[in-house]
Amino acid sequence: MQVDFPIFFVLLKRNHQYQFIMKKLTHTTLLSLALVFFSCQSPKQEATYQIVPLPQEVVLNPSDPFVIGSDTRIVYPQGNDLLKRNAEFLSGYLQESTGKVLQAEAVSGNLPAHSIVLTIDPTIEQEEGYKLQVNNEQVTISGKTPNGVFYGIQTLRKSIPAVAKGADIVLPAVEINDYPRFVYRGMHLDVCRHFFPVEFVKEYIDLLALHNMNTFHWHLTDDQGWRIEIKKYPKLTEIGSQRNRTVIGHNTNEYEEKNYGGFYTQEQIKEVIAYAQERYITIIPEVDLPGHMLAALAAYPELGCTGGPYEVCPDWGVFEDVLCIGNDQTLQFIEDVLAEVVELFPSKLIHIGGDESPRDRWKVCPKCQARIKAEGLKADAKHSAEDRLQTYCTRLAEQFLNSKGRRLIGWDEILEGDVAPDATIMSWRGMEGGIQAAQLGHDVVMTPTSHLYFDYYQTTDTKDEPLGIGGYVPLEKVYSLEPVPAVLTEEERTHILGAQANLWTEYILDGKHVEYMVLPRMAALCEVQWTEPEKKNYQDFTTRLPRLMEIYSRDQRNFAQHAYELKATFIPDTVKRAIVVELSTIDDAPAYYTLDGSTPTASSTRYQEPIVLTQSADLQAIAIRSTGSTKVVTEKIGFNKATLCPIELKTQPNPKYTFQGAITLVDGLKGNDSYATGRWLGFPGYDAEATIRLGKPTEISKVSTHAVVDMGAWIMGASGVSVSVSDDGNTFREVATKEFPSDTDISKKAVENYEVEFAPVQAALVRVTVKHSPALPKGHSGEGKAPYLFVDEIEID
């Protein structure tokens, strides 16, 4: 007699959720499944397809699993060297996890039993697409290309437990159909500010492969060091690769007085290129021109407008001395350098930088002005003649690259002027440059600072963090990026090639610091690059991330663990004049808090629902897991007569630094010395004027506010504060004004407090004007230019 048993077994992906579908299984099948289940106990470990990046389609099947044991073989078609290499990679990955060395062998006829098969399937539509099929007899990874097979291998690699030494691996029966959303999936590394040896560059490339990325942007030249050997110009590395001192911190007046440098020989570069090619990663080299060239000018001063002397720059920033485009010798230098770069790198795209190139020297350089005149370069309402001169330089570089069968890629500044017609644009100053470029018909890679600058801090609590440039890009912000702006037409959207994160290394001295800054943010980025947007879900991502972190841990990567910290969200309720505090962790670990500044423990109040605060409090909170406690979250919430009152701004802050808007200035929360945390509003070159409605005539006698100073980021404090009051909203009278000395320390980074006291007055409305500093001080790289003003809490007492 045959008896049917219902069992939940088929797993389908739908609307970000996995659903079990009821199936009928025979008694015999059920018995075999039971045997499999009991046999899966140690020393067996089970795989899961809950990985990063999330595959496009995962369907678990109601059949017996495949077990990877010591007798499992990895096979590939005879004569296919690329799949042979893929098979060897898979064997190595499995050995890392299990300790087992699986034999990789070529086959030309019947497939051996119990094997993992790598094969090419031309019916797969996407160039980098693959299928991963598992049944009890065989695992098949098929791709349209060897690249696709390689990504299928990455999926299998990430599905098995990271640490399973000596264990057999149980692979549930499955069919995965997968492909990347974008053709360009990149990561950048600056090796100029700080140099990284070949072995670490290879490790970095391995991280890209783990995250399904296919492009490595290698930033090889800058003011602080020239890192690529150019045989025709040996002084570039003899002189340009070494600086005799390095500034300490954020452009302080202190220096580490010793030589620093390094460069890659052409043979080393070939070695790295081959290493990347084996992992299906294209290296795009960057030689930044015509700006960021002080290292080259130190070696060949005749290429600059003044003739020098120049030095390899010991400081960070943007500098006036750039290549002299009026000099024929300079144009020949550009062509000669690019010729050797093209000879080394097979990449179709060659990056020429083009960013942050001041025009100051060109405006007074006779040779550059003669070039402008000879070429008929004219200013217009949008662009100066010097802007056109940079475009002239860019076009010459592009024409040369095109003659070698290559294409130019540059930062979005190359849009300023008549952009080179065939250029690809890397949009870093936000999404706007990418939008403009796509609308002009240029291909675009999105790399906005707001989401993808990994030298920015990952947390607002920076006191225990390794040094960063500033800013704030947490994991969730990276994940939230949508690289294809909705404003583009369907045709324009085809020009968005993909996305890339950038890692600039002014403050990153070694490989461990690099790892800390990119991991796990690289995981969030890879899902942006790979997975279709309708399948993305941050909460789901956080449940899959631990599996990837186990690989980081096994491989002794120095990854950041902010994702597991307790998160506190502060929501202003202007109706109730209350601050609502929400506490959360990605795994719903129990949280405990106090409001009196004492350190919380498991005996403190357990968080069950949002905390509503209507008076000042000193919040401390912690999450407690069986493995230990998180870092304590601390926040002083201050109430005063202005807190959560209606507030209006005369002029809005820059959209990049608007955050929650005007309410930010009266939300009871103070910012730290990081301007991009969301606690500060940023006003570029103009005053911050706020009108606060107290609701009814109220006696006041003091107004205080705060500004962050970060001279390295062109942010200065206030030059003055004035206070005016009104009862009817129509007529205001000034009751106090106070001036404050301008900052002159070009290395200053601090939070400044400003207080204005006056005789008590009654007022229903209070207008506070925080006056900006007029210009960056002498000696600053932006001397004379208008700085930002970043303002936070306005307090009225």
Side-chain angles (χ1 to χ4, degrees):
M1 183 177 77
Q2 179 172 295
V3 180
D4 287 345
F5 291 84
I7 184 170
F8 291 110
F9 205 80
V10 180
L11 192 60
L12 296 176
K13 185 78 169 61
R14 185 176 297 133
N15 298 327
H16 308 304
Q17 302 295 325
Y18 287 92
Q19 297 182 346
F20 289 101
I21 307 300
M22 185 79 77
K23 291 290 180 181
K24 294 281 188 174
L25 299 179
T26 65
H27 181 274
T28 303
T29 305
L30 187 59
L31 180 60
S32 66
L33 284 173
L35 291 173
V36 168
F37 173 80
F38 288 110
S39 67
C40 283
Q41 306 308 302
S42 184
K44 289 183 171 61
Q45 292 195 36
E46 187 164 354
T48 174
Y49 306 115
Q50 295 281 291
I51 63 165
V52 176
L54 180 68
Q56 309 294 357
E57 182 183 59
V58 178
V59 181
L60 287 175
N61 297 320
S63 57
D64 294 350
F66 182 94
V67 180
I68 300 176
S70 299
D71 62 336
T72 303
R73 287 184 285 180
I74 304 170
V75 300
Y76 57 90
Q78 195 165 38
N80 192 318
D81 291 339
L82 293 178
L83 290 192
K84 175 184 178 183
R85 190 176 65 213
N86 283 354
E88 291 167 350
F89 276 127
L90 177 56
S91 178
Y93 296 147
L94 291 171
Q95 185 178 0
E96 287 174 344
S97 294
T98 68
K100 300 178 188 296
V101 181
L102 303 189
Q103 182 180 352
E105 61 184 61
V107 295
S108 58
N110 295 331
L111 296 174
H114 203 71
S115 58
I116 301 173
V117 180
L118 309 184
T119 185
I120 297 297
D121 180 357
T123 67
I124 294 174
E125 292 183 12
Q126 297 81 7
E127 196 69 15
E128 295 177 287
Y130 70 89
K131 289 184 179 180
L132 173 59
Q133 297 166 299
V134 177
N135 58 44
N136 66 322
E137 297 179 352
Q138 187 172 284
V139 176
T140 303
I141 303 175
S142 52
K144 184 180 181 69
T145 61
N147 310 43
V149 174
F150 184 74
Y151 297 124
I153 287 171
Q154 297 303 321
T155 291
L156 184 60
R157 168 195 189 184
K158 286 178 277 195
S159 297
I160 67 177
V163 180
K165 294 299 183 183
D168 291 346
I169 305 299
V170 179
L171 298 177
V174 74
E175 179 168 324
I176 296 176
N177 294 289
D178 198 15
Y179 58 87
R181 180 188 180 193
F182 291 109
V183 298
Y184 188 111
R185 306 181 301 282
M187 274 296 302
H188 157 284
L189 180 64
D190 164 24
V191 297
C192 303
R193 279 49 179 261
H194 284 97
F195 180 74
F196 300 90
V198 165
E199 287 310 309
F200 178 76
V201 175
K202 289 180 177 179
E203 289 182 27
Y204 196 72
I205 288 169
D206 284 333
L207 287 176
L208 269 66
L210 174 66
H211 293 86
N212 292 25
M213 296 182 184
N214 64 1
T215 307
F216 172 39
H217 176 177
W218 203 1
H219 183 80
L220 290 164
T221 71
D222 218 299
D223 296 306
Q224 295 80 17
W226 187 283
R227 305 299 180 207
I228 175 174
E229 178 188 22
I230 301 296
K231 293 186 181 296
K232 192 167 183 177
Y233 297 91
K235 291 182 183 178
L236 288 173
T237 47
E238 290 172 7
I239 296 173
S241 71
Q242 301 289 325
R243 58 179 183 260
N244 60 19
R245 60 197 171 109
T246 301
V247 68
I248 296 172
H250 291 87
N251 280 342
T252 65
N253 293 317
E254 298 179 35
Y255 292 85
E256 186 176 23
E257 300 284 349
K258 69 177 184 180
N259 285 340
Y260 181 91
F263 68 93
Y264 307 103
T265 67
Q266 293 197 0
E267 288 306 309
Q268 287 176 317
I269 287 173
K270 290 175 184 176
E271 178 186 339
V272 173
I273 291 169
Y275 190 86
Q277 286 175 327
E278 289 180 346
R279 291 150 181 82
Y280 305 95
I281 291 170
T282 298
I283 299 181
I284 295 179
E286 181 181 357
V287 174
D288 202 347
L289 59 93
H292 287 294
M293 271 283 173
L294 277 171
L297 294 179
Y300 295 96
E302 65 272 19
L303 302 179
C305 291
T306 69
Y310 307 103
E311 68 171 334
V312 181
C313 193
D315 299 298
W316 320 128
V318 179
F319 306 96
E320 290 182 344
D321 287 301
V322 300
L323 292 178
C324 177
I325 307 306
N327 185 346
D328 289 340
Q329 190 177 353
T330 300
L331 303 184
Q332 187 62 51
F333 168 81
I334 291 172
E335 186 172 307
D336 291 340
V337 169
L338 291 178
E340 292 196 34
V341 170
V342 166
E343 188 67 26
L344 279 171
F345 291 89
S347 168
K348 186 75 173 177
L349 294 173
I350 303 294
H351 208 300
I352 57 88
D355 62 314
E356 299 176 330
S357 183
R359 320 304 197 209
D360 306 65
R361 298 296 191 212
W362 294 347
K363 290 177 181 178
V364 296
C365 173
K367 289 182 179 180
C368 290
Q369 290 302 309
R371 180 79 71 192
I372 287 171
K373 183 177 180 180
E375 296 296 332
L377 305 177
K378 305 291 185 182
D380 60 22
K382 292 184 177 180
H383 306 294
S384 67
E386 289 74 26
D387 290 338
R388 306 284 189 204
L389 186 62
Q390 176 160 351
T391 301
Y392 170 80
C393 171
T394 303
R395 284 194 167 189
L396 289 179
E398 181 182 46
Q399 289 167 6
F400 176 78
L401 292 173
N402 289 350
S403 74
K404 299 294 184 179
R406 309 301 180 86
R407 293 181 60 186
L408 178 149
I409 182 171
W411 302 108
D412 56 49
E413 281 94 333
I414 67 174
L415 290 167
E416 296 169 359
D418 299 316
V419 62
D422 198 36
T424 298
I425 305 301
M426 197 164 269
S427 186
W428 73 278
R429 295 177 298 177
M431 307 284 278
E432 295 79 12
I435 292 170
Q436 179 188 352
Q439 290 171 338
L440 291 171
H442 294 274
D443 287 344
V444 174
V445 177
M446 290 295 190
T447 69
T449 57
S450 57
H451 294 75
L452 296 180
Y453 265 48
F454 286 2
D455 51 335
Y456 286 18
Y457 286 110
Q458 304 171 68
T459 175
T460 58
D461 185 6
T462 59
K463 63 180 182 295
D464 296 323
E465 290 293 292
L467 189 61
I469 195 170
Y472 175 48
V473 178
L475 187 70
E476 188 170 2
K477 186 70 175 288
V478 178
Y479 194 85
S480 71
L481 176 68
E482 172 43 56
V484 183
V487 298
L488 297 180
T489 66
E490 187 173 347
E491 170 61 26
E492 291 164 351
R493 292 178 186 184
T494 64
H495 288 292
I496 308 299
L497 302 181
Q500 169 184 294
N502 299 329
L503 187 69
W504 303 100
T505 61
E506 288 93 335
Y507 310 104
I508 300 174
L509 279 66
D510 56 39
K512 288 301 180 185
H513 195 173
V514 168
E515 291 175 354
Y516 186 83
M517 300 306 280
V518 302
L519 301 176
R521 289 189 286 192
M522 194 184 284
L525 171 60
C526 83
E527 195 146 300
V528 170
Q529 296 169 331
W530 186 275
T531 306
E532 294 290 354
E534 63 272 13
K535 296 183 173 69
K536 285 178 55 193
N537 180 283
Y538 182 71
Q539 194 62 40
D540 181 57
F541 165 76
T542 61
T543 66
R544 291 179 277 111
L545 183 59
R547 191 79 169 196
L548 191 57
M549 285 181 160
E550 289 173 5
I551 296 178
Y552 300 162
S553 182
R554 182 199 67 201
D555 295 344
Q556 298 182 321
R557 302 296 183 192
N558 183 37
F559 62 98
Q561 300 189 45
H562 304 102
Y564 289 98
E565 295 294 342
L566 179 65
K567 179 181 179 181
T569 304
F570 300 89
I571 304 167
D573 184 337
T574 55
V575 175
K576 297 179 180 178
R577 290 195 67 187
I579 300 290
V580 180
V581 185
E582 295 180 351
L583 303 178
S584 62
T585 59
I586 64 172
D587 57 354
D588 294 324
Y592 303 86
Y593 69 92
T594 63
L595 297 175
D596 60 3
S598 61
T599 302
T601 67
S603 299
S604 302
T605 304
R606 182 167 178 172
Y607 177 79
Q608 302 284 1
E609 60 184 8
I611 307 162
V612 180
L613 299 175
T614 56
Q615 59 185 8
S616 297
D618 189 350
L619 172 73
Q620 297 211 18
I622 195 169
I624 300 177
R625 300 183 177 93
S626 59
T627 53
S629 302
T630 63
K631 182 191 296 186
V632 177
V633 172
T634 63
E635 189 70 54
K636 290 184 182 293
I637 299 98
F639 277 73
N640 58 80
K641 292 177 180 179
T643 304
L644 298 172
C645 286
I647 179 172
E648 298 172 358
L649 295 174
K650 179 180 179 181
T651 306
Q652 295 302 312
N654 183 294
K656 292 181 181 178
Y657 305 112
T658 297
F659 303 110
Q660 302 302 315
I663 194 66
T664 304
L665 300 181
V666 290
D667 63 359
L669 306 169
K670 293 182 180 179
N672 60 15
D673 64 0
S674 180
Y675 62 89
T677 59
R679 297 285 178 86
W680 301 94
L681 301 187
F683 299 85
Y686 47 82
D687 297 344
E689 182 180 299
T691 301
I692 301 165
R693 297 179 179 273
L694 301 181
K696 61 182 179 180
T698 304
E699 183 176 278
I700 64 171
S701 59
K702 183 172 70 172
V703 170
S704 56
T705 189
H706 318 272
V708 67
V709 178
D710 189 341
M711 297 293 272
W714 293 33
I715 300 170
M716 293 181 68
S719 63
V721 174
S722 68
V723 181
S724 300
V725 299
S726 173
D727 290 324
D728 58 10
N730 295 316
T731 304
F732 282 83
R733 61 186 178 90
E734 186 177 272
V735 295
T737 186
K738 187 175 183 179
E739 293 184 357
F740 298 93
S742 292
D743 297 309
T744 57
D745 180 357
I746 63 173
S747 64
K748 186 174 182 179
K749 184 173 183 179
V751 174
E752 291 288 355
N753 303 313
Y754 307 95
E755 188 174 290
V756 180
E757 294 191 74
F758 43 88
V761 296
Q762 293 282 325
L765 292 95
V766 181
R767 179 169 292 165
V768 180
T769 303
V770 186
K771 300 176 183 179
H772 74 286
S773 294
L776 289 158
K778 186 176 180 179
H780 192 281
S781 60
E783 179 181 337
K785 294 184 170 63
Y788 261 88
L789 170 67
F790 275 79
V791 180
D792 188 25
E793 204 69 6
I794 296 175
E795 298 166 278
I796 298 177
D797 293 296

